[in-house]
Amino acid sequence: MRSNKPQLNNNKMVVGKLYMLDLSSPVRAVLLTEKALGIELEHINVDPIKGEHKTAEYKKLNPQHTIPLYIDGDGTIVWDSHAIMAYLVGKYGKDDSLYPKDLAKRAVVDQRLHFDSGNIFANLRAIVFPMWSAGEKGPNQKQIETVDTQYDFLNKFLAGKLWMAGNTVTIADFSLISSVSSLMYVVPIDSKYGDLLAWIERCEQLPYYEANGKGARAFKEFVKPWII
Ligand SMILES: N[C@@H](CCC(=O)N[C@@H](CS)C(=O)NCC(=O)O)C(=O)O
């Protein structure tokens, strides 16, 4: 493995290594954070579809064998996109706007991050994993109803707000847009969820949105064969 020490690349300091694949929505949440912070990470592709996450070398770094995995220039190892985003903002953010230090504000961001882990991403994974691993077609009616309920919650979180945790962009938006922009190809969002649809458009206007957009389009093509 190469050195973990920060190195210069095109006059930008490469602050750490990200083990990743564009198709993966949690990876894309970290890519959005990287761009928003204006830092540069070395990108190392690890393709779970080819089993590249199950090598002894990778499992030594992350026994849970998930992507994304981050290794900072100082050697700190972090996995889980939500933990990586929080770490990067704390270490490299010029201010705390993406992940506020204020406890009340942070609690709202944390709730949204956990909502992604426990609900939005969890359902995306539950629907998509059997597709590529076992060729199953989906989603079924029960899954559609569950996801629709979660879209309803997201729509309610946004009532009277521009962004998921208030009126400024936070890592909660990065986490949820990366998942929602994949899930919506599997379970379309009903037009009655106007605040949610407007938020997606707002995210797409962010100057660094392509960090998610490219992989989200690739995901759409990837899942097409199994969608009923
Ligand atoms: N909660 C984790 C989820 C990570 C995750 O499940 N990543 C998938 C790819 S999208 C993966 O690595 N799957 C392979 C495995 O779990 O073995 C995060 O946010 O990083």
Side-chain angles (χ1 to χ4, degrees):
M1 266 192 204
R2 281 156 284 183
S3 153
N4 281 326
K5 296 231 163 64
Q7 287 165 6
L8 267 181
N9 180 19
N10 295 329
N11 284 331
K12 260 189 161 181
M13 192 62 84
V14 178
V15 299
K17 295 177 189 174
L18 182 66
Y19 292 77
M20 50 126 357
L21 193 74
D22 257 350
L23 270 186
S24 155
S25 56
V27 163
R28 286 186 260 119
V30 178
L31 296 179
L32 284 167
T33 309
E34 175 188 5
K35 290 289 175 211
L37 290 172
I39 57 173
E40 193 153 332
L41 308 179
E42 181 186 355
H43 293 173
I44 302 169
N45 272 346
V46 175
D47 189 345
I49 296 157
K50 295 184 187 148
E52 291 172 358
H53 62 318
K54 295 260 177 92
T55 63
E57 190 185 18
Y58 193 75
K59 285 201 277 188
K60 211 167 148 191
L61 295 169
N62 173 3
Q64 206 184 326
H65 52 74
T66 50
I67 53 167
L69 164 71
Y70 176 67
I71 308 185
D72 192 69
D74 71 6
T76 304
I77 299 177
V78 191
W79 67 88
D80 189 286
S81 58
H82 312 85
I84 298 170
M85 288 189 287
Y87 177 89
L88 290 176
V89 175
K91 183 146 185 191
Y92 298 108
K94 291 184 185 77
D95 57 47
D96 68 347
S97 70
L98 287 172
Y99 191 46
K101 290 193 178 114
D102 175 272
L103 277 184
K105 289 184 184 161
R106 177 166 290 207
V108 180
V109 176
D110 286 341
Q111 184 276 325
R112 305 316 194 228
L113 296 177
H114 288 292
F115 188 78
D116 176 63
S117 282
N119 298 274
I120 302 293
F121 178 75
N123 275 288
L124 177 64
R125 190 181 159 116
I127 298 171
V128 171
F129 183 73
M131 293 180 171
W132 65 261
S133 62
E136 277 180 32
K137 298 249 176 185
N140 63 38
Q141 194 51 37
K142 173 94 186 59
Q143 288 170 324
I144 293 171
E145 282 164 20
T146 303
V147 170
D148 188 71
T149 305
Q150 291 166 358
Y151 287 155
D152 189 25
F153 286 136
L154 289 177
N155 199 59
K156 287 185 172 124
F157 295 167
L158 284 160
K161 297 189 197 77
L162 290 173
W163 301 101
M164 277 294 168
N167 283 324
T168 54
V169 175
T170 67
I171 57 174
D173 296 288
F174 299 160
S175 181
L176 285 162
I177 192 59
S178 64
S179 296
V180 169
S181 63
S182 292
L183 191 57
M184 68 189 206
Y185 296 129
V186 182
V187 180
I189 303 172
D190 194 290
S191 58
K192 69 183 175 206
Y193 300 130
D195 286 342
L196 179 58
L197 291 166
W199 167 79
I200 293 170
E201 280 182 21
R202 216 170 284 127
C203 290
E204 288 169 351
Q205 299 308 313
L206 290 169
Y208 44 81
Y209 180 75
E210 193 52 12
N212 179 61
K214 181 169 161 268
R217 289 192 298 277
F219 175 87
K220 181 182 180 184
E221 292 309 311
F222 173 72
V223 289
K224 239 181 209 168
W226 300 293
I227 302 295
I228 45 175

